[in-house]
Amino acid sequence: MTILGTIFAQDWTTPFGLPPFDQIRDEDFAPAFDAALTEARVNIAAIADSTDAPTFANVIEALELAEGALDRVAGVFYNLSGADSNEAREALMRDLAPKMSAFSSEVSNNKALFARIETLWQGRDGLELTPEQMRVLTLYRQMFVRSGALLEGASAERLTGVKSRLAVLGTQFSQNLLADERDWFMPLAEADLEGLPEFVVASARAAGQERDAAGPVVTLNRSLIVPFLQFSPRRALRQRAYEAWGARGANGNAHDNRAIAAETLALRNERATLLGYASFADYKLEPEMAKTPAAVRDLLMRVWGPARTKAEADAAVLEAMLRADGIDGPLEPWDWRYYSEKRRRAEHDLDEAVLKPFLSLDAMLAAQFDCANRLFGLEFREMEGPFYHPDVRGWEVTRKGAHVAVFLGDYFARGSKRSGAWCSAMRSQRKLGGEVRPIVVNVCNFANGDPALLSYDDARTLFHEFGHALHQMLSDVTYGFISGTSVARDFVELPSQLYEHWLEVPAVLERHARHWQTGEPMPAAMLKRLLDAGTYDQGFATVEFVASALVDLAFHEGPAPADPMQKQAEVLEALGMPRAIRMRHATPHFAHVFSGDGYSSGYYSYMWSEVMDADAFAAFEEVGDPFDPATAARLERYILSAGGSDDAERLYMQFRGKMPGVEALLKGRGLLDAA
C-alpha cells in the first residue's frame, strides 16, 4: 500500500492494527480513496490480462486480495459516516457514491476477467477444489452474472448508469433522513414535564443541552421519543411529536425523500428487466432462502391475520381507556403507546421507571459478555482508546488466551449519528494471505445518562446487535468473501435474533439485573412479571412490522409505482390496517429499503429468520440447559463460524436436523391463539 499518500499508507503500530483515530483527518480520506482505487484497478487489470492459464489461485484468490487498500480506507470511512457524520464526511459520501459504483461496474463489466472466471467455472469438476473454494467460486460467478457480466453493448452501458444513479440516490436518501432527524426538536416547558419519569426528563434535558436549547426538548431519536409517547399525559404534545416522527423525509423541504423513492423503484425495476427478471423482487430474492416473492408473501400473510386479530382486540381495550379519560375521539397512533404503557402497568404491574434502574448499560454489557463466555468461552478485556468518538468503548476478545477480535461499542444517541442500531466490521476475518482477525462495531442510539439506564427493549437491542457481532467475531473461514455476516439476507438475522433469547433466561437476569445504586438484584416477583409479559403488545409490534414488509414487497414485485405513497396507501387499505397503528417505517424514512439495496425486497428477512431463531433456541431448551456445551458447539460450528461457506438452509439443517414451521414464530409472539 505504498502508493497511498496519507496515514492510510503507513503501517499502523496501534494495538491489533486498530485505525489510529487520533491521527486520521477528514482531509485524508479523499486522496486515500483515490490512491486505493488506482491500486485496485492496477491489481484487477493484472488478473484480467494475465497470459497464464487461469487457476483458482491466480484469479479468485488474487481477486480476494486485490482491494486490500480500498478495504482499509472504506472500513474506517463508512463506519464513521454512519456513526459520527459531519459536513465534510457527508460531502465526501456524495462524491464517493458514483465513484464507487463506477469502480464496481468496471470490475463486473471486465470481459477478460469474467472470461477467466467462466473458464474456471466450466472446468470446476477438474480443479480439485475444497468445498469452501467451490462455494467461493460459485458465489463469485453468481455475483458477476447478477451484476451484468453477460450483458453487451447498450444494455451493459445502461446497467452501469442505473447502478451509478442508484448509489447516488441511496446516499441522498440517508443524508436527507439524518438532516430531518437532526434539525427537528420540540421544546418542553417545565409544566410539560409533568407525568414523565425522571429518566425521560433527564434525557430531554440532555438533548436540550446538545441542541443548545434553553431547556428540555424532545427529539426524533427513538430512545427519547418513544418513552415520551409512552408517558406524556399531554395528548397534543404526543400528537405533535408523533406526527413529526412519522413525517421524516416527507416535509416538502430540501430533505424530502418521496421523489427519491419513486426514482429508486423505477431504476430497480429497470435493472431487473435488463438482467432478464420479471421483477426486482424476483431478482433480489433469487439467492436468498425464500427464493421467490410468493414464498415471502405466504409467510407474511400467515402471520398477518393472527397479528391483526390480536391488535384489533388490544385496540378496543385501549380505546375504552381513552374514553374513560373523557376523550370522545377514536384511538390514534399517538395514543397507542401511552395507553398500552398504562395497561401494562395495570395488568403486569410493570412500571418502566421502576424497571430501568435494574437495567443499566454496564449491567447489560456484563450480561451479554457473560453469556458469550458461558456459551463460547470468550473473554472481554476493556481497552483504552483513542477511538473515533469519546462515547466509544473497546474490548479485546480472547479465548484461552488467544486473540479473537476487537469489539467496539458506540451506544449513545447524538446528532452526528444516523438513527437505529447496527453492527459492522472495520476489518473482517479471513485466513488467506495470513490470519486476519476482525474489528467489529456495535452502534446503538440509547439515551445517555449518569448512569445510562436501558428499557427492556433497549436491552434486547443490545443483545440483538451483539448476536451479529458474534457472527463476525467467531467467523473461521479462509476467504473474506464469505466471512462473518456474508450470508443470505434472510439468514443474517438468525444469530442476532437468537441471541436475544439469552436475555430472557431467568438466571441471566438474576445475576446481572441489579439496581445501579444499591447492587440489589431485581426482585423475584418483578423478574417473573417481566418475563411473563414477554409477549405483551405483540399484536401491535407484529402489525407495524408486517405492514412495512408487505409494502416493501409490493413496491418491488411488479412494475414500479409512479407514486409510492399512493401505492403504500393502497396496500395498507387492502390489508385492513388498524387505524391506530402505522407502518414501522413509512416510505420516506424507510432507510432499510431506500438507503441502499441491502433490505430492498428483504425487510421480511427479520421474520424469516425469526422462524428459525425460535426453533434454534428450542435446541437448548430440549436438553434442559440454555448453556449446553454440545449445543453451543454445534451452533458455533454450523452457524456462527461458517459464514457463507455453505447454503444457508444446509447450514441450519446441520445444526438443527430439520427446518421449522411458522408455528414456532406465532408461539414465540403469543399469537397462536389468534391464528
Side-chain angles (χ1 to χ4, degrees), residues 3 6 38 74 96 132 197 210 272 339 341 347 368 403 445 447 514 519 547 604 640:
I3 66 170
T6 67
T38 296
L96 281 173
E132 182 179 340
E210 185 191 8
Y339 286 101
E341 180 63 26
E347 295 184 1
Q368 74 174 17
H403 178 73
N445 269 282
R514 294 180 174 271
Y604 77 93
L640 297 176

Side-chain angles (χ1 to χ4, degrees), residues 187-251:
L188 298 176
E190 289 299 313
D192 296 333
L193 303 177
E194 178 188 350
L196 297 178
E198 180 53 38
F199 77 86
V200 182
V201 173
S203 295
R205 293 193 190 282
Q209 290 177 350
E210 185 191 8
R211 303 300 175 99
D212 293 324
V217 302
V218 174
T219 69
L220 298 181
N221 181 271
R222 178 176 286 270
S223 290
L224 177 51
I225 195 170
V226 167
F228 180 79
L229 293 170
Q230 285 176 307
F231 292 105
S232 176
R234 297 181 180 267
R235 193 179 192 223
L237 292 181
R238 292 202 313 267
Q239 179 178 356
R240 183 180 167 196
Y242 184 90
E243 289 184 335
W245 196 31
R248 290 170 293 159
N251 286 302

Side-chain angles (χ1 to χ4, degrees), residues 495-576:
S496 55
Q497 293 177 183
L498 173 59
Y499 203 67
E500 293 178 33
H501 287 271
W502 275 275
L503 181 61
E504 302 166 356
V505 173
V508 172
L509 290 174
E510 288 166 2
R511 175 184 290 190
H512 294 285
R514 294 180 174 271
H515 197 283
W516 72 271
Q517 288 175 305
T518 67
E520 291 296 312
M522 183 182 292
M526 182 188 294
L527 176 58
K528 184 178 187 305
R529 293 195 303 272
L530 176 64
L531 296 178
D532 287 348
T535 60
Y536 178 71
D537 217 17
Q538 277 299 306
F540 170 87
T542 308
V543 161
E544 67 164 7
F545 172 85
V546 174
S548 297
L550 284 166
V551 168
D552 168 38
L553 185 65
F555 278 160
H556 296 101
E557 65 178 339
D563 183 350
M565 299 306 294
Q566 180 182 339
K567 181 67 172 180
Q568 173 185 298
E570 291 170 356
V571 172
L572 297 179
E573 182 179 3
L575 287 171

Side-chain angles (χ1 to χ4, degrees), residues 261-313:
E263 186 180 355
T264 297
L265 293 174
L267 289 172
R268 284 176 179 166
N269 186 66
E270 184 180 359
R271 179 181 182 180
T273 301
L274 285 167
L275 291 168
Y277 292 88
S279 71
F280 184 80
D282 287 287
Y283 161 75
K284 192 69 191 299
L285 293 169
E286 181 186 50
E288 313 299 345
M289 294 183 74
K291 303 300 182 190
T292 67
V296 172
R297 182 169 293 280
D298 177 65
L299 169 69
L300 294 174
M301 292 308 297
R302 290 174 70 185
V303 177
W304 173 257
R308 185 180 64 178
T309 298
K310 183 69 168 64
E312 288 174 338

Side-chain angles (χ1 to χ4, degrees), residues 21 79-80 83-84 386-390 392 408 410 414 426 441 443:
F21 295 109
N79 275 277
L80 294 185
D84 192 28
F387 303 119
Y388 62 84
H389 189 277
V392 179
L408 303 182
D410 182 356
R414 54 180 176 267
M426 287 193 178
V441 189
V443 183

